[in-house]
Amino acid sequence: TNLIGQFGVGFYSAFLVADKVTVTSKCNDDPVQHVWESSADASFTVVPDPRGNTLGRGSRVTLHLKEDAHDYLSEDKLKEASKKYSQFIQFPIYVKVKKEVDAEAEEDDDDDDDKEDEEEKDDVETKDDDDEEKEEKEEKKPTKKTVYEWEQVNTQKAIWLRAKEDVTEEEYTEFYKSISKDYLDPLAYTHFNAEGEIEFKSILYLPKKAPFDMMDNYWSKKSEVKLFVRRVLVAEKFDELLPRYLNFVRGVVDSDDLPLNVSREQLQQNKIMKVISKKLVRKVLELMKKLAKEEESGDDEDEEKEDEEEKEEEKKEEKKDKADDEGTWSKFWKEFNKNLKMGCYEDDSNRSKLSKLLRFATTKSEGKEISLDKYLDRMQESQESIYYMSGDSMDVMMKAPALQIFKKKDIEVLMLSDHLDEPCLQKLADYEGKKFVSIQKADVKLDETEEEKKRFSKIKDMYKPLTDWWKDSLTDLTEKGAMKDAGVKVEKVEISKRL
């Protein structure tokens, strides 16, 4: 009854495929059956049904299809439309299907019963009789006959309406595969009910593998979360549910607070949608944070165990196997790290949350990628900045002259080999009060001891004649020589502290 009056737009959309619509209806309290009919010409008729009471009670809608809409007479087309939009409706939806069955199937069943009775009566049968019966069966060719049956198409249950405790892992996995068409199990999921000013139910999944064209279609791809209103599919792909960088998330959202009979454009402007979107993003980021935290705590335990004495051979092998396995977060980061970096660049409101999820290789991480929190834990007490350098590959960066002084001072440096890394850090600007500083910039300042300051002062004095000569030579070149028209001016030449 809560859906009555909500389907006005849906009913009149029948005229998109039909020239004429006939509704036959019989009220339980009225002895007369009526027929409503219209051809979408701004008029309709309602008359008593001349056939009398054929329904008993209820209604029947008959669409007289247009010539270009005859594909809706196809059994497959009807099944597809019913499953797509009404898969999770509570009441059953049936489609009349054509099937071929063996014409003799029922007769064979009767014969089997007769044979059983005969066997009870006759205790002894010869082997020859059995062989003859088998030969007769082989000679009989089964004939087919066509029958029509009502087949329920909305057999999938709306598991998001049930309590989390009542849903099994197998059901979550099966549901994910049915909505995503993915052959792999999901990597992780979250099932929740949002309460407060807006109420809705949702299940969101993180896939194991990223689509091969994910970044190619990044700007045009829409969110894969399906939007339902009271279990009716309203939008299969919807721009406003999740931001672009989370367009790999799969799942469903079902709200009773959204109107059914509005256009997609009106729905996008709906304030309720903005509230739902905000809560969905928060839930997805919380799920990611949980996965990252679990793996980090596991890594810390492994590091502590490495300091312990060696144990039995079997235990060592088990530990090795465990270490070889990638953690859940590592698998996720490997597939979707570019999305999170794009999110860090685009999403101002959630940038601080996303920064906790970022992972980078460093000069001390031995090829592994670590979090910024782990970098801070390993920082020197006097260190005021987070240092980084960018390059095409780890090998190229490790040979860079600018890195020498940081190795000498035992300062850890983030190694950014992905083209999205540096823009991401530049947007962040700082992390936990520590600014990001590129070691490839000329104005990098490192903490110095008094002894280092004195030593550098001596070197500066020692090389002063050379730096003065260089400045004079370059000044002559830019003011009087070949570069006088270039507009270049040399202010100073000084000794570098970073080599």
Side-chain angles (χ1 to χ4, degrees):
T1 55
N2 63 335
L3 295 179
I4 291 174
Q6 299 288 339
F7 286 94
V9 176
F11 175 75
Y12 285 105
S13 67
F15 289 104
L16 294 172
V17 295
D19 290 317
K20 184 170 70 174
V21 176
T22 304
V23 181
T24 308
S25 187
K26 169 68 173 67
C27 174
N28 198 42
D29 299 329
D30 189 345
V32 181
Q33 182 170 298
H34 290 86
V35 177
W36 177 96
E37 196 167 85
S38 176
S39 299
D41 53 0
S43 66
F44 63 89
T45 60
V46 180
V47 296
D49 195 333
R51 299 168 299 173
N53 182 1
T54 59
L55 295 177
R57 65 177 295 181
S59 300
R60 171 181 288 165
V61 180
T62 306
L63 304 183
H64 304 265
L65 294 177
K66 298 176 180 178
E67 283 187 19
D68 59 353
H70 282 187
D71 55 333
Y72 282 96
L73 295 172
S74 161
E75 181 184 305
D76 292 336
K77 182 73 173 178
L78 286 173
K79 279 185 178 180
E80 179 195 341
S82 302
K83 280 184 179 179
K84 184 174 181 179
Y85 296 102
S86 303
Q87 191 174 17
F88 303 104
I89 293 292
Q90 281 181 314
F91 50 81
I93 298 173
Y94 293 92
V95 172
K96 201 170 192 178
V97 298
K98 183 169 76 171
K99 291 184 179 179
E100 284 192 345
V101 298
D102 292 340
E104 296 179 0
E106 294 178 5
E107 295 172 14
D108 290 343
D109 292 340
D110 295 337
D111 292 344
D112 291 339
D113 294 339
D114 293 340
K115 283 177 185 174
E116 286 175 10
D117 294 338
E118 287 172 11
E119 284 175 4
E120 287 176 6
K121 291 176 185 176
D122 303 328
D123 293 334
V124 180
E125 286 191 6
T126 63
K127 189 177 178 182
D128 292 338
D129 292 339
D130 291 339
D131 292 340
E132 286 175 13
E133 285 178 12
K134 286 179 185 175
E135 286 174 10
E136 285 176 12
K137 279 187 180 179
E138 287 172 5
E139 288 173 5
K140 287 181 182 178
K141 291 183 179 178
T143 56
K144 300 281 186 181
K145 70 173 182 179
T146 302
V147 295
Y148 292 90
E149 295 178 359
W150 289 101
E151 183 180 292
Q152 186 176 345
V153 292
N154 60 333
T155 53
Q156 184 78 40
K157 303 299 179 189
I159 65 170
W160 64 82
L161 299 177
R162 290 154 55 187
K164 286 184 278 188
E165 305 78 35
D166 300 335
V167 185
T168 65
E169 289 294 322
E170 290 75 18
E171 286 178 308
Y172 279 122
T173 301
E174 184 186 340
F175 182 70
Y176 166 74
K177 289 180 178 178
S178 73
I179 61 169
S180 67
K181 305 298 183 269
D182 192 353
Y183 66 96
L184 295 171
D185 292 350
L187 185 71
Y189 63 84
T190 179
H191 180 183
F192 61 95
N193 297 342
E195 297 176 349
E197 55 174 325
I198 305 297
E199 293 188 2
F200 65 90
K201 296 175 173 65
S202 177
I203 302 177
L204 300 174
Y205 294 91
L206 301 181
K208 271 186 182 173
K209 287 282 183 184
F212 69 93
D213 60 347
M214 183 176 63
M215 295 313 291
D216 296 338
N217 298 331
Y218 180 79
W219 301 102
S220 59
K221 188 174 170 61
K222 294 180 181 178
S223 169
E224 295 282 351
V225 177
K226 299 177 191 292
L227 177 63
F228 289 81
V229 177
R230 294 184 280 284
R231 292 172 297 285
V232 176
L233 180 63
V234 172
E236 199 167 22
K237 293 184 178 182
F238 203 71
D239 292 332
E240 303 300 313
L241 272 177
L242 287 174
R244 260 195 307 266
Y245 68 92
L246 293 178
N247 60 19
F248 58 86
V249 176
R250 304 286 191 272
V252 295
V253 179
D254 190 358
S255 172
D256 288 352
D257 295 325
L258 285 167
L260 265 170
N261 56 344
V262 293
S263 67
R264 180 185 289 253
E265 289 73 23
Q266 286 174 308
L267 203 56
Q268 285 177 331
Q269 302 302 320
N270 197 300
K271 290 181 181 178
I272 298 172
M273 281 302 305
K274 292 176 182 174
V275 176
I276 290 175
S277 175
K278 192 175 179 182
K279 289 187 178 181
L280 290 180
V281 173
R282 192 179 77 237
K283 283 292 181 181
V284 172
L285 295 182
E286 283 175 2
L287 176 59
M288 292 179 186
K289 182 182 176 182
K290 181 185 171 189
L291 296 178
K293 198 171 181 181
E294 285 173 357
E295 184 164 307
E296 285 238 309
S297 59
D299 289 343
D300 292 340
E301 287 175 12
D302 289 342
E303 286 175 12
E304 289 173 11
K305 286 180 183 177
E306 284 175 8
D307 299 332
E308 296 177 0
E309 293 181 0
E310 291 184 355
K311 296 182 180 180
E312 299 174 7
E313 192 66 30
E314 290 181 6
K315 290 185 178 178
K316 284 199 293 182
E317 287 177 6
E318 286 175 10
K319 185 178 177 184
K320 186 180 177 184
D321 291 340
K322 188 177 179 182
D324 288 342
D325 292 335
E326 269 190 317
T328 305
W329 179 252
S330 295
K331 290 175 184 174
F332 177 80
W333 178 255
K334 186 178 177 182
E335 295 293 324
F336 299 103
N337 66 81
K338 291 184 186 296
N339 289 70
L340 297 191
K341 290 169 188 174
M342 288 297 288
C344 197
Y345 187 82
E346 296 172 359
D347 192 348
D348 297 336
S349 57
N350 290 297
R351 188 170 291 128
S352 60
K353 291 179 182 177
L354 287 163
S355 66
K356 299 277 185 186
L357 303 173
L358 298 176
R359 298 290 183 270
F360 301 102
T362 74
T363 49
K364 293 184 179 181
S365 65
E366 299 176 347
K368 293 181 180 178
E369 292 180 307
I370 65 167
S371 66
L372 293 174
D373 283 327
K374 189 164 261 189
Y375 179 95
L376 292 183
D377 292 340
R378 305 201 297 215
M379 269 175 62
Q380 297 178 6
E381 287 185 18
S382 59
Q383 189 176 331
E384 292 298 324
S385 305
I386 298 174
Y387 297 105
Y388 72 88
M389 76 175 299
S390 57
D392 294 332
S393 68
M394 287 290 289
D395 291 338
V396 172
M397 286 187 284
M398 290 301 282
K399 294 172 185 174
L403 199 60
Q404 291 179 13
I405 188 67
F406 291 88
K407 287 181 179 177
K408 186 178 178 182
K409 287 180 170 287
D410 195 33
I411 296 173
E412 191 168 15
V413 178
L414 301 178
M415 311 294 274
L416 312 183
S417 57
D418 188 272
H419 69 283
L420 295 173
D421 289 338
E422 192 166 11
C424 176
L425 293 191
Q426 287 170 349
K427 271 285 186 179
L428 277 174
D430 67 85
Y431 184 79
E432 301 292 341
K434 305 285 186 182
K435 288 191 174 182
F436 291 101
V437 175
S438 171
I439 68 169
Q440 292 154 305
K441 299 287 173 67
D443 57 350
V444 177
K445 293 181 180 178
L446 295 170
D447 293 328
E448 295 176 289
T449 61
E450 288 299 320
E451 188 178 332
E452 286 174 329
K453 287 178 182 177
K454 288 177 184 177
R455 181 173 171 274
F456 184 73
S457 180
K458 286 180 182 178
I459 292 173
K460 199 174 178 181
D461 292 338
M462 185 172 69
Y463 283 99
K464 191 174 187 308
L466 177 63
T467 53
D468 289 345
W469 176 82
W470 262 113
K471 186 179 184 303
D472 293 340
S473 299
L474 292 172
T475 301
D476 287 343
L477 181 67
T478 54
E479 291 182 2
K480 304 172 185 176
M483 294 181 67
K484 65 180 180 180
D485 297 326
V488 178
K489 187 177 180 181
V490 178
E491 290 185 6
K492 62 179 177 179
V493 175
E494 59 182 19
I495 302 294
S496 172
K497 294 181 181 180
R498 296 190 292 162
L499 299 174

